[in-house]
């Protein structure tokens, strides 16, 4: 059965009938390049994918909120008469609670509602199922409450929900692309100004292939927050010499070299990644616009090497997946995508080479790790929409 039919059926089973429903879809995303640059005020280049979150919502006449997770088969209920608080049992519900909390804080007049949702985005794999859930919730609640807010500002509230309510200090990329993605395009986003440029994903005989390593190391959230702190330390040291540096986005390699003696080696490496990664994003989008896929692939490779060596957010399994992919004739580039410590790789691959990828990479990876990696392909999808 189609996801929409499953959603409606489950809504009716849980809440009685399907009258007055608002149905929203919000996509996951794959970041093509620009990793750990968003919270440094820099550039990212994600595209929305065809895997998504589908959410149905309806107003109630009281202040009670009921939310049903179809995939987890679990329902939570709370009242808006009390302040919204973190749920230590049904952790999934905090993404929705957080969005309600952030929207309320921004002035939305919330009332009771019934919500059911399900998703096809693999969870915890770096394809941003969490942001898709937040964005789907926000778009539905905006519609139900007639809250007047722009798309980028609503994406910022979703980020606030994840940062301050859930406790994951992510940048703006995931919520932004899930909200504003455009079919057939990836978005070059300036995460400082939130200006963005849709760039056609016109790959000729090539395609984007996503490969899930099947691992998620538990340190991901704590290490992510630690990387942010290391970047802030780097900014403080660089700013002492170059006051114009307010974020690593403002620094360049000459400045880094000039401050090398003052920077602890680990901080130097973190800054080196962010500075070079920002440059790679801009060079990549230029290459893509010029149809130069060879260079684009090389930038993807350099990005991975920098994330592995300088930023130290890869892991042995993902490194293996990348190394195996690069041996396939027809793979122009392969790198880790998402926050790190497991999750997915993104590969730029010739259409005819996909069979070889499946025949070589997947068995070799399984032989070494005992894990069967999952492969996904997706065109660039559109951002959140009311169906
Ligand atoms: P990612 O965003 O990379 O997929 P996260 O750890 O940030 O990984 O978010 C995953 C969490 O989001 C899940 O543990 C769950 O709480 C919530 N989530 C994602 N998809 C669903 C779903 N289909 N149903 C319920 N909760 C979901
Ligand atoms: Mg997430």
């Amino acid at each position: 059965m189609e996801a929409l039919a499953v959603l409606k059926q489950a809504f009716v089973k849980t809440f009685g009938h399907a009258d007055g429903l608002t149905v929203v879809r919000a996509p996951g995303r794959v970041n093509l390049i620009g990793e750990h640059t968003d919270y440094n005020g820099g550039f990212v280049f994600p595209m929305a994918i065809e895997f998504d979150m589908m959410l149905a919502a309806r107003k109630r006449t009281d202040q009670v909120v009921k939310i049903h997770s179809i995939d987890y088969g679990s329902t939570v209920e709370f009242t808006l008469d009390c302040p919204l608080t973190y749920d230590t049992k049904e952790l999934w519900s905090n993404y929705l609670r957080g969005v309600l909390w952030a929207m309320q804080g921004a002035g939305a007049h919330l009332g009771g509602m019934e919500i059911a949702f399900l998703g096809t985005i693999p969870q915890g794999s770096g394809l941003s199922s969490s942001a898709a859930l937040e964005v789907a919730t926000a778009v539905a609640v905006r519609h139900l409450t007639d809250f007047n807010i722009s798309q980028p500002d609503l994406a910022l509230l979703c980020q606030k929900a994840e940062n301050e309510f859930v406790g994951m200090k992510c940048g703006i990329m995931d919520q932004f692309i899930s909200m504003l993605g455009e079919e057939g395009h990836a978005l070059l986003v300036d995460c400082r100004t939130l200006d963005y440029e849709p760039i056609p994903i016109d790959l000729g005989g090539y395609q984007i292939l996503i490969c899930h390593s099947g691992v998620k190391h538990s340190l991901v959230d704590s290490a992510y927050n630690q990387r942010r702190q290391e970047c802030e330390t780097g900014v403080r040291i660089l700013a002492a010499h170059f006051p114009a540096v307010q974020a690593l986005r403002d620094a360049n390699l000459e400045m880094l070299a000039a401050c090398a003696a003052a920077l602890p080696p680990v901080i130097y490496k973190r800054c080196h990644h962010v500075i070079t990664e920002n440059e790679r994003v801009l060079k990549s989008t230029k290459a893509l616009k010029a149809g130069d896929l060879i260079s684009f692939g090389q930038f993807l490779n350099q990005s991975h090497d920098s994330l592995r060596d300088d930023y130290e957010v890869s892991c042995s399994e993902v490194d293996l997946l990348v190394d195996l992919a690069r041996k396939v004739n027809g793979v122009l580039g392969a790198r880790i995508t998402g926050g790190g410590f497991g999750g997915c790789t993104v590969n730029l691959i010739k259409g005819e080479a996909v069979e070889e990828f499946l025949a070589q990479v997947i068995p070799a990876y399984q032989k070494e790790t005992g894990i069967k990696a999952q492969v996904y392909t997706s065109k660039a999808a559109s951002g959140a929409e009311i169906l």
Side-chain angles (χ1 to χ4, degrees):
M1 206 179 352
E2 223 191 304
L4 186 58
V6 176
L7 175 64
K8 284 195 173 156
Q9 200 178 66
F11 192 97
V12 170
K13 194 164 169 227
T14 314
F15 301 120
H17 63 93
D19 299 344
L21 278 193
T22 295
V23 178
V24 173
R25 72 160 270 286
R29 63 101 185 92
V30 61
N31 189 23
L32 300 179
I33 191 161
E35 217 66 76
H36 293 276
T37 45
D38 58 353
Y39 55 79
N40 286 298
F43 300 97
V44 293
F45 191 46
M47 73 175 208
I49 54 177
E50 292 162 315
F51 300 88
D52 50 30
M53 200 65 71
M54 298 264 272
L55 181 145
R58 171 172 69 202
K59 276 205 239 191
R60 289 172 58 97
T61 50
D62 57 13
Q63 292 295 100
V64 174
V65 177
K66 296 184 182 185
I67 309 174
H68 179 62
S69 159
I70 298 169
D71 296 321
Y72 289 8
S74 147
T75 307
V76 297
E77 182 175 332
F78 52 91
T79 167
L80 294 169
D81 290 329
C82 305
L84 283 154
T85 51
Y86 189 85
D87 186 338
T88 53
K89 291 200 185 81
E90 303 289 346
L91 294 181
W92 58 269
S93 74
N94 291 312
Y95 296 96
L96 302 103
R97 289 170 192 267
V99 169
L100 296 179
W101 166 82
M103 290 180 77
Q104 207 171 42
H109 296 292
L110 305 184
M113 54 191 113
E114 288 156 347
I115 297 175
F117 70 98
L118 80 178
T120 55
I121 308 161
Q123 295 171 31
S125 63
L127 300 180
S128 249
S129 65
S130 64
L133 180 50
E134 291 150 9
V135 167
T137 306
V139 169
V141 172
R142 174 178 62 179
H143 186 75
L144 291 183
T145 58
D146 293 321
F147 184 46
N148 187 12
I149 186 169
S150 71
Q151 304 275 86
D153 284 345
L154 195 55
L156 283 168
L157 288 184
C158 292
Q159 183 201 10
K160 187 181 167 115
E162 184 142 353
N163 285 175
E164 295 175 30
F165 198 93
V166 177
M168 168 63 177
K169 303 270 176 222
C170 60
I172 184 60
M173 168 169 66
D174 303 352
Q175 292 80 10
F176 195 88
I177 183 70
S178 183
M179 188 75 77
L180 287 128
E182 292 186 19
E183 196 177 343
H185 297 75
L187 301 189
L188 168 60
V189 185
D190 178 333
C191 295
R192 171 172 277 164
T193 60
L194 294 189
D195 288 339
Y196 66 98
E197 180 188 351
I199 296 177
I201 295 298
D202 209 349
L203 302 176
Y206 285 79
Q207 63 189 64
I208 299 296
L209 183 141
I210 300 162
C211 190
H212 189 358
S213 68
V215 297
K216 182 184 180 182
H217 293 290
S218 59
L219 69 170
V220 59
D221 286 12
S222 60
Y224 190 100
N225 294 345
Q226 185 197 351
R227 292 295 179 285
R228 281 195 76 139
Q229 282 171 7
E230 289 166 347
C231 290
E232 284 163 18
T233 304
V235 169
R236 270 199 301 279
I237 296 170
L238 284 159
H241 296 74
F242 301 100
V245 175
Q246 299 193 341
L248 287 181
R249 145 75 176 277
D250 303 313
N252 59 38
L253 288 177
E254 289 73 49
M255 294 171 176
L256 189 67
C259 296
L263 289 159
V266 167
I267 305 297
Y268 178 94
K269 288 207 287 185
R270 306 298 188 246
C271 296
H272 189 263
H273 165 72
V274 175
I275 292 169
T276 56
E277 184 78 353
N278 271 325
E279 288 172 1
R280 277 187 292 272
V281 176
L282 298 177
K283 287 186 199 155
S284 298
T285 51
K286 244 185 221 151
L288 199 56
K289 283 195 225 172
D292 179 2
L293 294 183
I294 303 264
S295 296
F296 185 46
Q298 284 166 353
F299 294 132
L300 297 184
N301 286 337
Q302 290 167 13
S303 170
H304 182 81
D305 298 350
S306 176
L307 287 157
R308 181 191 60 208
D309 302 333
D310 277 347
Y311 220 63
E312 298 178 279
V313 288
S314 190
C315 60
S316 59
E317 295 91 342
V318 172
D319 287 342
L320 175 64
L321 213 43
V322 163
D323 289 342
L324 291 168
R326 288 178 184 171
K327 288 194 189 122
V328 174
N329 205 352
V331 169
L332 295 183
R335 69 172 205 92
I336 189 170
T337 185
F341 305 101
C344 290
T345 62
V346 56
N347 304 269
L348 178 60
I349 184 172
K350 202 175 193 161
E352 295 97 79
V354 171
E355 216 166 294
E356 191 182 330
F357 189 104
L358 295 174
Q360 288 184 9
V361 175
I362 305 304
Y365 180 75
Q366 186 163 11
K367 190 163 171 231
E368 192 95 356
T369 61
I371 303 167
K372 189 167 188 323
Q374 300 294 322
V375 168
Y376 309 93
T377 54
S378 176
K379 298 205 179 87
S382 68
E385 58 192 335
I386 294 179
L387 301 177

